[in-house]
Amino acid sequence: MRFVLYNIRYATGTGWDYHVPFPFWGCFRKTERNFRDISSFLIKLNPDIVGLVESDGGSYRQNGRSQPKEMASQIGGMSIFSCKYPPESFMTKAPVLKAQGNAVVTRIPPLDCDVHYLSYGLKRAFLEVEYEDFALYLVHLSLRRKTRAKQLDELSQNCLSAKKPMILAGDYNTFGGEEELAPLIKKVGLKNANSDCMPTYPSSSPRKLLDFVLHSPEIKVNNLLIPKVTFSDHLPIVCDFSL
């Protein structure tokens, strides 16, 4: 099976002008053209499952259309989307912000799916998608290191209750590198698919490893690629695996 993890930055693009005329101005851009480029790129990869971090569930940027649903219609299968903020947050009521979340686009029919919420941070939601032989968790963790440490500890507790081999993937915002994940990896007994720790951020000149595909020992990684594309500020991870 082929799994692709990609923080697409809502398809708002990247480049020197992203913060002109003021910081994060680029997040208000219309996204249809860049999303078409991202979709075309992903279609060529022929994935079975795509983990989309920072996807747009249907704001004005995408003319009210859901990026995960659009992608599912193009590669086949279905999409599972969740706003990344907890239901009680004011952000779930705010324009644009309420459409910001993470999604799994899958050609393999899942048995079940669920949205869990961590106890700390602004970005708390993580997706659990259960398949016949394994489970996929998709996360996007806090930018603050102390909050991230609490999230990782809580996440490890959730993972320990899993009854199947798992893939735990997402944007961990680990500016401290893989060492930040060491307690979780050891406690749950996971492996890093990117064993060479190739960096994924920023896409124009990668220096940091923020995106990870962690997996149970029962899952064998046959091949791993990090294509050098600049549709987003992150690079995608392409992981071929078997059980």
Side-chain angles (χ1 to χ4, degrees):
M1 284 177 275
R2 170 162 283 189
F3 171 66
V4 178
L5 171 69
Y6 199 2
N7 181 329
I8 63 171
R9 206 186 201 184
Y10 313 109
T12 54
T14 184
W16 66 269
D17 59 340
Y18 198 86
H19 299 289
V20 177
F22 56 82
F24 297 100
W25 165 255
C27 71
F28 298 105
R29 292 171 175 168
K30 298 285 279 187
T31 58
E32 286 183 293
R33 179 180 297 180
N34 194 44
F35 185 68
R36 280 197 298 270
D37 292 339
I38 291 171
S39 296
S40 297
F41 165 72
L42 289 173
I43 288 168
K44 290 176 183 176
L45 291 174
N46 193 28
D48 297 294
I49 307 170
V50 180
L52 290 178
V53 179
E54 291 194 348
S55 60
D56 192 312
S59 76
Y60 77 90
R61 295 179 296 200
Q62 193 71 20
N63 282 334
R65 293 195 294 272
S66 163
Q67 290 175 346
K69 286 183 179 179
E70 292 266 306
M71 188 167 292
S73 70
Q74 294 177 51
I75 70 171
M78 61 179 288
S79 65
I80 303 157
F81 172 85
S82 171
C83 177
K84 63 183 181 181
Y85 309 111
E88 67 274 11
S89 170
F90 77 92
M91 293 185 176
T92 60
K93 312 296 189 298
V96 181
L97 296 179
K98 64 183 180 182
Q100 297 190 158
N102 307 315
V104 172
V105 178
T106 176
R107 295 162 65 178
I108 303 170
L111 299 180
D112 197 8
C113 57
D114 203 357
V115 182
H116 305 279
Y117 295 95
L118 299 169
S119 303
Y120 307 94
L122 285 176
K123 303 187 292 283
R124 297 188 192 179
F126 70 92
L127 284 171
E128 177 185 4
V129 183
E130 181 186 356
Y131 296 95
E132 185 174 356
D133 297 315
F134 68 99
L136 169 66
Y137 292 79
L138 184 67
V139 303
H140 187 195
L141 300 188
S142 174
L143 287 167
R144 299 181 60 188
R145 183 158 185 159
K146 288 184 178 179
T147 302
R148 199 162 57 244
K150 293 178 181 178
Q151 289 179 329
L152 286 168
D153 183 60
E154 188 173 354
L155 192 59
S156 67
Q157 299 302 322
N158 281 271
C159 291
L160 286 171
S161 64
K163 297 177 174 61
K164 295 181 178 181
M166 71 171 68
I167 293 174
L168 178 57
D171 176 0
Y172 288 79
N173 280 315
T174 44
F175 288 93
E178 188 186 27
E179 305 81 54
E180 283 194 52
L181 298 183
L184 179 145
I185 289 172
K186 183 178 180 181
K187 192 171 187 177
V188 183
L190 300 175
K191 293 184 176 182
N192 180 7
N194 182 5
S195 56
D196 293 331
C197 291
M198 294 179 285
T200 60
Y201 179 89
S203 60
S204 57
S205 179
R207 296 182 298 278
K208 299 286 186 180
L209 176 53
L210 305 187
D211 309 275
F212 286 86
V213 177
L214 307 178
H215 62 93
S216 300
E218 298 92 333
I219 293 174
K220 179 184 177 183
V221 175
N222 303 314
N223 192 32
L224 186 130
L225 303 170
I226 300 182
K228 300 299 189 290
V229 291
T230 55
F231 302 118
S232 168
D233 56 339
H234 289 246
L235 295 177
I237 296 179
V238 183
C239 180
D240 296 328
F241 70 96
S242 57
L243 289 164

